Each structure stands twice: as C-alpha cells, then as structure tokens.
C-alpha cells in the first residue's frame, strides 16, 4: 500500500439526493472484503452485452458507446481530467489493433481511492476495463497495480479468475483477455508513458513525447491508458447511460468522484462525493474536523494548497476551484491543522518531490533539488524568496513529463496560500511548530527504489 | 511549414554545444542545460539550428515542424 493513511475506514457521505441522482454510485455494496462477481452483479446488474459479443463486433455499436461517454462528459480521474471519450475515439480509430491499460498504479501518497476500488470492488474496475476494451477494439486489457499493494493485486487476480470461470473474460469469443501486471511503486511509475514503457519491458520511467500512448503505446499499438476510477464510472455509464451519469455533479464536470480525505478529521478515508459539493459537507461526512484548519492540499502532491480563509466557501469542482488556483485532480483532500507549520510541511514535501524525480531530465533533477534546498533554507531563516521564484521558472515545463511542473505548482501554491508564514520564517527562522510531527502523509520510501540514473548529468 | 527547435530533455546531457552554435535561440541554465526559444525559425536560423542539431553529441536537439509539436 503506497498510502500512509492510518485509517482506511470506508464511509459513504449521506446522499443529499440532488436532481434525482443518489450516492453512492461506485461505492455501492462496498464492504470489508472484495465484492465477488455474484455480489457485484446483485448490486449493479450484469454488464450489458457481456454475453452477446456480436453486438460489440460492430464498429457502430462501439462508436455509439463512445458517443454516450461523450454525452456523459466523463473526465479522467487520474488527475488530468482529460475527456474520456476523446481518448477512446483516438485509440479506437488509431492505426492497428488497440490495447487497454487500466492504470491502478496509485503512487500518490495522499490518495487511496484507486487501491480501495481494486481491493474491495475489483469487478467494477474489470467491468470498466471490459467495456473500454470492447469500445476501442482491444482484445487484451492489462490491469496495472503497484507491486507493494498486494491485497489489491490478489483481489484483481481472484476476480479475473472468477470472470474467466463465468465466461466473461479470456479472449477467443468471450470478453477481452484480462491480465494483471504489477508495477514498481515509485511516484512517477503511474505516469502513463512510464507505465507503458514498463509493461513493454523497459524501465518504469517517463518517455519523450510524442508519441503518446494513444498513438503508439503497448507493443507499439494505439493504447488507451485509463485510471481505474474512470473505468469504474465507465462501467456504470454502460449500464445506465449519459443522462443518469449527468444527474449528479457540475455541468462542466458531471458525476460523482472518489475523494481521499486525510488530516485532522474524525474518520479519514475514501468518500464518494457529488462533484461540485462543498468541502464543508465532505468534512462533515468525515465526522467533522478534530482541530482548527490552516489550509488544505487539493488534487494531490502535484496539486495546490488553499489557505484557511477560503475554506468555508470551497466547492469541489474545477470550475469552483479555478479562482483558488486548484483542481479536483486525483481527488486528494489533505487537511492541515492549525498547529501545523505550513512552511515545514512544504519544505518536506519539496524534498520528497525532488527525491521522486526519475532523474532523467537535468532541469528536474537539479531544479527540484535546488528548490527543496532553498525551501529548507527559508524555513531556517534565509531570505530565499527571489531564489525560489527564479528556480520555479527554471524548472517548470522543462522535463519530459509533468513532474517538475506539478512540483513547482504545489510549492508556489503553498507560498501563495501561506505567504505570511513564509515571510515570518524568512525573517525569523524556524517556529515552534516546525518541530511537530509531519501532517501530510509522506512515505519514507528509500530513494534507492528508483532505477539508477542512467547517465551522470554533467553540470 | 514553419520549423522550430526543441530539446529532448531525457537525451540531453548538458554538453552545451547547442548554445555555442545557436546562441540566438539557446542559452544555458546554471546547470548547463539549454533554455530554448521555441518560436519559428527564420531564414539563416534554420540552417544554424540544423547544424546545432547535428553537432549535439546525444542528438537531443531537434528541429521539428509545427505539426509534430502541436500533438503534445
């Protein structure tokens, strides 16, 4: 398990039942153990056309489903919020037979939603992978899971065997062949190019783009790489249609979303919310805050901090969060208590992000390391403000993947949200709260887990 | 169709040849990695850019058409 979240109590917020839609959707039927195939079908009903593959054989049928997904307005839930139908269409109409990768390599330490789905609702993910594979014309779907998440890998392996036994998977006239693959657990391994690179026999490191996997991915074929939560939503859209999907959520970002709530709340864990619902209602669903709040980290470790003053009015949709410079992203809501030192938390996060660099691109290796150093200096009383801004400019948008960009973004958002505290530290050095135990869940993962740097960068 | 320069940051090992050969478009950061002006190349610049790309020891400097870039 990549997450340090102590408690993984799964609770569902009470459904406010807006516009006819009700929650939970994805988390229906969730329990302490994996829901088996019978249990899954009792909750959601069988997957349409699962026993009638002839209907899928026709391109029109598949295109109709992709159009339904477009009408549903499903956006990717891995962090980038890319329109799912656009990706599906590009892969379905690419050159050569398509491949499907269900991305369950949840390397985000503050997120537990993908692992929750894989471990407890594996058939929902496999339904989604089946639908997506059929829609893009793939014979094979690879379910990628972190090698450290053993319970998730076990649940998926058992669920695949169940489906093969029931004639729902395995290729040769049945559903697509489903294959479990375990992948390294470091942060960037879940980046789609790194994932495809690894599944193709290379290192789990990002690649230079283009081509992106949708053009040339696994085995050089057009490959749909999709987050497992996105696929779970797809499984329900295939059953209930676009209109049902849109009956919850924000117009520009419809549906529900899984949120990993951590920090000073009574019941940290994974919650399903309506997109556009308030942060306050999420905290209430989590049993309420157990301390005063200093701020919140939204989206993930490549996301954004928002300060306490804005918290009462925050709603969880990209449209609402845009003025605060934040996004729903991968559904991380990490609260910071009033006792926490935002500067120390940011400095630790910056160091961790620098250590997560895959060490391929010079500006990322050197820039993030220098940023982490500058933040450590600032928190000890050095005037590093200008240096940090200079490094942010030198580091962002200069790597092969988005890691340096996301890291710079989260660091700069912290300075924006907690400006006073950063100034205080630059003037007077560390505060009493600096020595408090960290609040943000950062795994103490040895850096040696990363593949050795292929070349020594020459400065 | 207009062309521009781009760096493959994975391949780049900060040899710095590109900044010598194409100073009008490339400067080096404090670690020796190129900071590239990726706006369209004009006239002589294109020839200089192609020469710089050929001189790069790791073939990390690319002269690309606009079309290839827009897919990113």
């Amino acid at each position: 398990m990549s997450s340090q979240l102590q408690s993984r109590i799964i609770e569902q917020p009470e459904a406010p039942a807006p516009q006819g839609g009700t929650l939970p959707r994805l988390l229906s039927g969730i329990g302490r153990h994996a829901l088996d195939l019978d249990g899954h079908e009792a909750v959601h009903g069988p997957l349409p056309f699962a026993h009638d593959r002839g209907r899928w054989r026709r391109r029109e049928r598949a295109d109709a489903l992709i159009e339904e997904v477009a009408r549903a307005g499903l956006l990717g839930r891995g962090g980038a919020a890319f329109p799912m139908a656009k990706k599906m269409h590009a892969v379905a109409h690419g050159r050569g037979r398509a491949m499907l990768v269900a991305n369950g390599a949840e390397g985000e330490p503050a997120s537990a939603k993908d692992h929750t789905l894989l471990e407890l609702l594996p058939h929902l993910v496999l339904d989604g992978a089946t639908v997506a594979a059929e829609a893009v014309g793939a014979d094979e779907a690879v379910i990628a899971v972190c090698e450290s998440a053993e319970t998730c890998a076990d649940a998926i392996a058992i669920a695949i065997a169940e489906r093969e036994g029931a004639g729902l998977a395995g290729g040769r006239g049945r559903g697509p062949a489903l294959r479990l693959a375990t992948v390294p657990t470091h942060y960037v391994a879940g980046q789609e190019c790194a994932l495809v690179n690894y599944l193709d026999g290379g290192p789990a490191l990002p690649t230079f783009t283009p081509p992106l996997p949708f053009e040339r991915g696994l085995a050089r074929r057009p490959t749909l790489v999709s987050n497992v939560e996105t696929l779970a939503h797809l499984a329900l859209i295939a059953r209930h249609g676009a209109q049902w999907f849109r009956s919850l959520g924000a117009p520009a970002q419809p549906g529900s979303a899984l949120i990993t709530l951590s920090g000073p709340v009574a019941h940290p864990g994974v919650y399903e919310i309506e997109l556009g619902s308030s942060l306050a209602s999420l905290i209430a669903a989590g049993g309420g805050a157990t301390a005063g709040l200093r701020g919140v980290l939204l989206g993930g470790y490549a996301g954004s901090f928002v300060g306490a003053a804005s918290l009462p009015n925050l709603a969880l949709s990209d449209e609402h969060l845009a003025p605060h410079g934040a996004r729903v992203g991968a559904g991380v809501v990490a609260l910071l208590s009033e006792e926490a030192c935002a500067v120390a938390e940011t400095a630790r996060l910056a160091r961790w992000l620098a250590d997560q660099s895959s060490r391929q691109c010079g500006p990322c290796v050197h820039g993030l390391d220098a940023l982490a150093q500058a933040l450590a200096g600032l928190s000890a009383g050095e005037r590093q403000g200008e240096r940090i801004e200079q490094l942010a400019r030198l580091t962002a948008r200069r790597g092969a993947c988005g890691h340096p960009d996301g890291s710079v973004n989260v660091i700069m958002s912290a300075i924006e949200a907690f400006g006073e505290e950063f100034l205080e530290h630059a003037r007077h050095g560390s505060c009493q709260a600096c020595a408090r135990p960290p609040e943000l869940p950062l795994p103490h993962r040895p850096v040696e887990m990363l593949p050795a740097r292929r070349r020594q960068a020459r400065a | 169709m207009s062309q521009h320069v781009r760096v493959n940051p994975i391949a780049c090992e900060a040899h710095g040849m590109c900044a010598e050969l194409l100073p009008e478009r490339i400067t080096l950061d404090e670690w020796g990695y190129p900071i590239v002006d990726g706006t369209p190349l004009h006239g002589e610049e294109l020839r200089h850019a192609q020469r710089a790309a050929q001189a790069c020891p790791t073939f990390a400097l690319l002269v690309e058409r606009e079309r290839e870039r827009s897919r990113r």
Side-chain angles (χ1 to χ4, degrees):
Chain A
M1 194 90 222
S2 75
S3 171
Q4 265 204 328
L5 291 171
Q6 293 294 306
S7 160
R8 293 198 42 242
I9 300 163
I10 311 304
E11 292 190 3
Q12 294 137 30
E14 286 180 25
Q19 299 134 44
T22 53
L23 287 173
R25 287 179 170 180
L26 302 185
L27 297 188
S28 299
I30 197 165
R32 300 239 160 246
H33 305 285
L35 194 63
D36 65 10
L37 187 56
D38 289 342
H40 167 71
E41 292 197 341
V43 173
H44 294 291
L47 192 61
F49 323 127
H51 294 281
D52 182 13
R53 290 201 78 218
R55 302 194 67 165
W56 285 108
R57 286 277 166 214
R58 303 219 311 270
R59 189 66 249 158
E60 311 89 77
R61 183 72 226 170
D63 279 339
L65 181 92
I66 296 176
E67 271 168 41
E68 191 69 12
V69 176
R71 275 193 294 276
L74 175 61
L75 303 179
R77 301 298 162 80
F82 192 84
M84 179 66 166
K86 237 184 217 179
K87 228 183 197 180
M88 291 172 82
H89 186 270
V91 173
H93 295 271
R95 228 181 263 177
R97 185 161 277 286
M99 296 288 275
L100 183 102
V101 176
N103 188 353
E106 187 174 46
E108 180 74 65
S111 180
K113 62 160 182 111
D114 294 339
H115 286 145
T116 298
L117 284 174
L118 292 163
E119 183 182 343
L120 300 175
L121 300 167
H123 284 289
L124 195 58
V125 174
L126 296 181
D127 271 0
T130 301
V131 170
E134 301 279 24
V136 300
D139 284 336
E140 192 183 345
V142 180
I143 322 298
V145 182
C146 293
E147 59 192 4
S148 60
E150 285 165 22
T151 50
C152 299
D154 290 349
I156 290 293
I158 291 167
I160 289 174
E162 267 186 284
R163 293 169 89 92
E164 285 171 352
L168 291 173
R172 292 188 302 277
R174 295 179 289 173
L178 302 173
R179 184 162 68 83
L180 167 71
T182 54
V183 303
T185 306
H186 62 259
Y187 186 60
V188 294
Q191 194 266 352
E192 64 171 5
C193 297
L195 188 58
V196 165
N197 203 14
Y198 181 77
L199 295 175
D200 245 350
L205 299 174
T207 55
F208 184 54
T209 57
L212 285 164
F214 81 86
E215 321 169 84
R216 199 165 78 205
L218 213 51
R220 303 176 72 83
R221 297 180 188 177
T223 302
L224 179 64
V225 182
S226 188
N227 169 265
V228 293
E229 184 197 338
T230 317
L231 293 172
H233 287 291
L234 184 65
L236 298 186
I237 291 170
R239 286 179 167 88
H240 310 302
Q243 211 182 349
W244 167 86
F245 185 74
R246 299 190 71 95
S247 68
L248 278 182
Q253 203 178 12
S256 63
L258 296 183
I259 299 288
T260 311
L261 177 65
S262 62
V265 283
H267 305 296
V270 176
Y271 292 83
E272 184 170 11
I273 63 148
E274 176 178 14
L275 283 162
S277 62
S278 68
L279 175 66
S281 66
L282 172 69
I283 294 173
T290 53
L293 299 178
R294 168 143 319 231
V296 62
L297 174 60
L298 292 172
Y301 284 174
S304 304
F305 283 97
V306 176
S310 307
L311 294 189
N313 304 316
L314 279 193
L316 298 170
S317 76
D318 287 354
E319 197 182 343
H320 282 103
L321 293 175
H324 303 279
R327 301 177 345 131
V328 177
V332 165
V333 175
L335 300 168
L336 272 187
S337 82
E338 221 159 37
E339 291 99 68
C341 173
V343 179
E345 294 285 345
T346 306
R348 267 192 298 269
L349 179 54
R351 173 44 61 199
W352 186 82
L353 288 166
D355 289 346
Q356 298 310 302
S357 167
S358 63
R359 288 161 169 71
Q360 296 192 101
C361 305
C364 177
V365 172
H366 298 283
L368 291 184
D369 183 63
L371 262 171
Q373 277 181 37
L375 278 159
L378 182 146
S379 59
E382 293 169 21
R383 306 221 162 167
Q384 293 279 3
E386 277 174 33
R387 173 72 174 150
I388 289 168
E389 282 186 18
Q390 177 203 23
L391 287 169
R393 282 193 302 275
L394 273 181
T395 306
R397 306 193 68 81
R398 290 185 66 211
C401 75
H403 181 59
D405 317 7
S407 303
V408 165
N409 184 69
V410 76
I411 290 166
M412 298 316 279
S413 78
I415 295 173
E416 175 97 22
F418 310 113
E420 282 295 312
E421 285 153 273
F422 278 86
L423 279 177
E424 276 297 298
H425 282 72
R427 285 196 195 111
H428 307 297
S430 58
C431 65
Q432 282 194 325
C434 281
R436 278 177 50 85
E439 286 198 5
L440 289 178
L442 286 175
H444 300 282
R445 199 173 289 144
V447 183
E448 305 86 79
M449 281 198 60
L450 287 170
R453 216 156 124 185
R454 278 192 287 176
R455 297 171 305 268
Q456 207 60 33
R458 298 179 6 166
Chain B
M1 193 174 292
S2 71
Q3 302 198 50
H4 68 278
V5 280
R6 185 160 79 108
V7 171
N8 175 343
I10 297 178
C12 178
E13 290 182 13
H15 289 90
M17 304 284 241
C18 53
E20 300 272 345
L21 294 168
L22 195 62
E24 59 269 48
R25 287 311 174 102
I26 297 176
T27 53
L28 298 181
D29 67 19
E30 59 190 84
W31 311 290
Y33 293 89
I35 299 169
V36 172
D37 169 2
T39 55
L41 298 159
H42 300 292
E44 279 286 276
E45 288 176 335
L46 180 59
R47 210 165 48 79
H48 293 169
Q50 281 161 342
R51 206 177 48 169
Q54 280 160 9
C56 174
T58 59
F59 302 107
L61 187 69
L62 310 171
V63 181
E64 292 182 328
R65 291 182 195 289
E66 202 58 44
R67 187 172 49 84
E68 298 171 59
R69 186 198 195 189
S70 63
R71 288 194 297 194
R72 218 192 135 160

